[in-house]
Amino acid sequence: MAEPAERSAQRRLRPAPLIFEPAEATADPEHFFDLESIEDPRELLSRATELTLAFRAATDRATEFQAIAAAQLADPRRFDRLTPADVAERAEWTEDYARKMIEFGQDLIRTNGRPAED
């Protein structure tokens, strides 16, 4: 049987599932993934930390998808390719950031989503 510290570490590494909240719950500005109803500060810290990790993981993953889409849209082999300025306008980025995201997306595509080795 795993020690409590091991279980805690394993639990932390796995992001909490993000569940869409019902419309009536999100209408209440104080409602956020039911955190407001948790009275035990230990449990509140644990659940809030799980959500933080889940949102970070979701943000990282969404950014990777943005980069891949930007690279695909700017691919010179496409007859309807977009310029970095066009990509920037669509994504509400600066042109410089669009260029960096296109390059990042090209790297992700080239390495099948794995980080490039230095």
Side-chain angles (χ1 to χ4, degrees):
M1 185 164 149
E3 296 295 319
E6 283 179 25
R7 274 185 283 174
S8 177
Q10 288 172 349
R11 192 167 126 205
R12 256 192 212 120
L13 294 176
R14 185 187 63 205
L18 296 177
I19 323 170
F20 291 98
E21 297 185 278
E24 60 272 5
T26 56
D28 177 5
E30 294 299 314
H31 185 83
F32 187 73
F33 289 90
D34 210 27
L35 292 178
E36 70 285 345
S37 68
I38 300 173
E39 293 184 21
D40 178 12
R42 289 178 191 92
E43 185 181 343
L44 178 59
L45 178 61
S46 176
R47 180 65 180 145
T49 300
E50 287 176 343
L51 284 170
T52 299
L53 293 173
F55 283 121
R56 285 180 188 155
T59 299
D60 291 346
R61 192 72 177 122
T63 300
E64 290 173 354
F65 278 106
Q66 279 184 311
I68 289 169
Q72 290 172 336
L73 288 169
D75 188 337
R77 295 173 295 189
R78 289 177 60 115
F79 76 93
D80 61 345
R81 74 178 172 270
L82 299 179
T83 66
D86 293 331
V87 172
E89 184 178 341
R90 282 184 180 226
E92 299 180 12
W93 296 333
T94 64
E95 191 172 339
D96 186 49
Y97 186 74
R99 281 191 195 95
K100 290 177 184 178
M101 287 295 279
I102 291 166
E103 184 179 313
F104 178 48
Q106 291 167 338
D107 288 344
L108 288 172
I109 292 168
R110 187 172 33 259
T111 62
N112 291 322
R114 289 185 294 276
E117 296 190 19
D118 295 327

